[in-house]
């Protein structure tokens, strides 16, 4: 979607100045991984309008492959309006009913879009947009399996898209389809009806090889058949908390793709999230690999993070 972000601290209904950016759970993760040095492709739908052109331009600028994006000449690109504040609830307004993304369908996804992929990341937002988008999400999973790619899943529950029962019905079954699950503790409870740790144990007894539980206190726990590891958050000043979960996912998945042990992957995930929340927009603070490593050294060793 195109993101229009109100001036910092000003309530949305009073804001007169806005900053244009790009938002969307999957595109945020794609951008984060691309900046961290991974070859990344985003699959989605946009309108052939100025907003869609802006989204494509921003993703290309970050090195994201958009060659398999489907363009709709009749439906508009989705729009997100929001304000930002570090300490109060953020007002978020979605305008994507009837958008190109909401009309995503299985026929828009070509098998070659998954060619060469090692990992395919999805969120629960896409299947909640429409029945056809839910069917397209299932096709993506099937194509990922055929390509031999891992499936990573972040529910990313947004109550404006539906109630708890609807999320559990539509998105809950996708938990069992994923090799890697990154979910908030409340999200796991919403989707399964069980405490997060119990839900994680059940998923590990099925297909999942790792479940990362993001706690309400901003800590995280990675659980595998071999054990569990806890990671507290890094203490940083927060300018805008939106996008932290996607930044965490990008940082963690980068570690998975590089074969890092769980403690290091969690540390990098927490670091990327910490850098993200110190800036405005969902993506402005997403670091390069070098910036991540400098920040992580400063967080863990007290090393001077200034680039000389």
């Amino acid at each position: 979607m195109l993101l229009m972000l109100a001036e910092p601290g000003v309530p949305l209904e009073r804001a007169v100045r806005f900053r244009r950016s790009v938002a969307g759970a999957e595109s945020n993760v794609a951008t984060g991984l691309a900046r961290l040095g991974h070859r990344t492709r985003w699959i989605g739908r946009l309108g052939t309008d100025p907003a869609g052109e802006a989204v494509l331009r921003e993703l290309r600028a970050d090195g994201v492959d958009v060659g398999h994006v489907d363009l709709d000449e009749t439906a508009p690109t989705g729009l997100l309006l929001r304000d930002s504040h570090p300490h109060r609830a953020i007002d978020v307004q979605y305008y994507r009913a009837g958008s190109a993304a909401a009309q995503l369908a299985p026929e828009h996804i070509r098998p070659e879009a998954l060619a060469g992929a090692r990992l395919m990341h999805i969120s629960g937002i896409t299947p909640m947009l429409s029945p056809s988008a839910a069917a397209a999400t299932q096709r993506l999973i099937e194509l990922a399996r055929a390509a031999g790619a891992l499936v990573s899943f972040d529910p990313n529950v947004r109550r404006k898209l539906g109630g708890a029962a609807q999320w559990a019905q539509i998105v809950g079954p996708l938990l069992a389809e994923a090799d890697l699950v990154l979910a908030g503790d409340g999200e796991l409870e919403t989707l399964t009806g069980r405490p997060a740790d119990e839900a994680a144990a059940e998923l590990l007894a099925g297909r999942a090889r790792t479940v990362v539980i993001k706690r309400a206190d901003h800590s995280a726990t990675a659980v595998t058949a071999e054990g569990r590891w806890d990671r507290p958050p890094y203490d940083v000043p927060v300018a805008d908390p939106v996008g932290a979960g996607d930044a965490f996912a990008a940082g963690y998945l980068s570690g998975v793709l590089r074969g890092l042990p769980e403690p290091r992957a969690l540390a990098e995930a927490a670091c990327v999230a910490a850098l993200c929340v110190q800036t405005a927009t969902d993506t402005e603070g997403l670091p390069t690999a070098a910036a991540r490593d400098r920040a992580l050294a400063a967080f863990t060793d007290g090393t001077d993070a200034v680039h000389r």
Side-chain angles (χ1 to χ4, degrees):
M1 296 173 292
L2 193 75
L3 166 63
M4 298 300 292
L5 179 65
E7 53 197 308
V10 179
L12 189 57
E13 71 272 14
R14 306 297 298 178
V16 295
R17 290 187 292 274
F18 289 82
R19 179 177 180 180
R20 191 198 71 189
S21 185
V22 174
E26 294 90 346
S27 62
N28 289 346
V29 174
T31 297
L33 283 168
R35 290 190 193 173
L36 291 170
H38 299 275
R39 293 178 59 192
T40 309
R41 176 177 298 150
W42 179 69
I43 303 169
R45 298 194 83 233
L46 299 168
T48 55
D49 49 22
E53 292 173 3
V55 171
L56 287 175
R57 184 167 58 252
E58 293 293 331
L59 292 175
R60 287 193 190 104
D62 276 308
V64 176
D65 178 1
V66 293
H68 292 273
V69 173
D70 191 76
L71 298 176
D72 193 317
E73 295 183 355
T74 59
T77 300
L79 175 65
L80 170 63
L81 291 176
R82 72 172 178 87
D83 55 22
S84 66
H85 197 282
H87 304 300
R88 65 162 167 77
I90 293 173
D91 191 352
V92 180
Q93 300 295 320
Y94 297 104
Y95 297 91
R96 47 187 169 192
S99 69
Q103 298 179 43
L104 179 69
E107 58 266 26
H108 298 135
I109 300 170
R110 300 178 294 276
E112 56 267 28
L114 276 292
R118 296 171 55 201
L119 181 144
M120 191 272 295
H121 179 74
I122 55 175
S123 83
I125 293 175
T126 299
M128 288 294 290
L129 295 179
S130 65
S132 66
T137 302
Q138 192 61 49
R139 174 163 169 77
L140 272 169
I141 294 172
E142 294 167 359
L143 290 174
R145 296 273 178 258
L150 294 172
V151 174
S152 168
F153 177 56
D154 183 343
N156 233 307
V157 173
R158 297 290 182 267
R159 290 301 178 89
K160 286 195 173 186
L161 289 173
Q166 190 178 8
W167 275 90
Q169 177 185 4
I170 296 173
V171 176
L174 296 178
L175 290 167
E177 302 268 12
D179 302 291
L180 307 172
V181 175
L182 301 97
D185 47 10
E187 292 177 326
L188 287 172
E189 293 173 14
T190 295
L191 296 179
T192 68
R194 290 182 293 282
D197 288 277
E198 289 183 15
E202 183 170 321
L203 291 171
L204 289 170
R207 184 177 189 95
R209 74 177 202 182
T210 307
V211 178
V212 178
I213 306 171
K214 295 175 283 186
R215 309 285 185 182
D217 64 358
H218 306 300
S219 66
T221 302
V223 188
T224 72
E226 288 72 41
R228 58 188 296 132
W229 297 265
D230 295 311
R231 173 71 250 173
Y234 293 112
D235 186 15
V236 296
V238 176
D240 186 345
V242 177
D246 300 330
F248 182 96
Y252 181 79
L253 294 175
S254 174
V256 169
L257 290 167
R258 288 152 49 229
L260 299 183
E262 290 296 333
R264 175 71 185 195
L266 284 174
E268 291 192 1
C271 177
V272 174
L275 293 174
C276 177
V277 300
Q278 294 182 69
T279 65
T281 82
D282 296 29
T283 58
E284 184 177 328
L286 294 173
T288 63
R292 175 204 60 208
D293 293 344
R294 289 197 302 272
L296 190 57
F299 286 144
T300 58
D301 305 327
T303 305
D304 187 355
V306 175
H307 184 62
R308 299 184 188 280

